[in-house]
Amino acid sequence: MTGPEAGPAGSAAGDGSAGSAADDGQWMELALAEARVAESHDDVPVGAVVVRDGEVVASRHNERELTGDPTAHAEILALRDAAAKVGSWNLSGCTLYVTLEPCLMCGGALVNARIDRLVYGAADMAAGACLSLYNVCDDPRLNHMVELTNGILADQCAGLVKQFFAARR
């Protein structure tokens, strides 16, 4: 995709969770910094940041290789940390910024955590479940829908992943 696209809800979520394009870029830069840390332990460079009311609540990166845990995706780890920090599984009022489109597991976790908004950088045509292959965040059969903005710093986000895999071939 060539630029940011507003997704399902069409309007900004409340509680300061939705940001301007400039704010989205700022938070995505933090997610990119987290993604670069993942490379240091041979994990796919994906980073995630949870923001509420203009403040970072949690930020993490992939740790599957580091921990041997198949669920240690950046989004899952960031959601766990955010829930611990706010004292509730319910993360209403939060936005998750992530460098790569979430998979089905992570998209489902966003719905279950009641995240208001998802902002991702690069599409994932192989496993993306928030627009590319599925759209779990906008499924009216579920009890919550997540507003979506995609394409923020997409070239930088995709470049990290492409470089990571090119170096391993």
Side-chain angles (χ1 to χ4, degrees):
M1 302 194 181
T2 58
E5 296 183 19
S11 63
D15 297 330
S17 66
S20 67
D23 290 340
D24 287 347
Q26 168 193 332
W27 301 123
M28 191 62 72
E29 288 285 357
L30 291 176
L32 278 162
E34 278 289 334
R36 290 180 188 102
V37 175
E39 283 185 293
S40 69
H41 45 76
D42 291 328
D43 271 291
V44 177
V46 176
V49 177
V50 178
V51 175
R52 179 186 263 175
D53 297 327
E55 304 268 332
V56 173
V57 178
S59 60
R60 294 294 292 270
H61 55 272
N62 274 359
E63 294 185 4
R64 290 190 324 164
E65 297 298 328
L66 180 68
T67 63
D69 178 355
T71 69
H73 291 202
E75 303 94 321
I76 298 294
L77 299 173
L79 291 174
R80 287 176 183 162
D81 288 357
K85 185 168 183 179
V86 304
S88 174
W89 62 267
N90 188 323
L91 297 176
S92 295
C94 292
T95 296
L96 179 90
Y97 292 86
V98 63
T99 56
L100 186 66
E101 179 182 0
C103 70
L104 191 54
M105 173 183 70
C106 294
L110 296 173
V111 171
N112 285 322
R114 308 299 191 266
I115 288 284
D116 283 353
R117 183 170 176 244
L118 165 64
V119 179
Y120 71 80
D124 185 350
M125 300 312 291
C130 296
L131 194 59
S132 294
L133 299 179
Y134 306 101
N135 197 346
V136 70
C137 291
D138 191 31
D139 187 333
R141 297 170 296 177
L142 300 177
N143 60 354
H144 178 74
M145 293 197 298
V146 179
E147 180 183 342
L148 171 66
T149 302
N150 62 343
I152 302 296
L153 303 181
D155 291 342
Q156 289 175 274
C157 295
L160 268 182
V161 174
K162 286 177 187 172
Q163 288 172 356
F164 176 83
F165 286 110
R168 278 147 186 80
R169 289 191 179 118

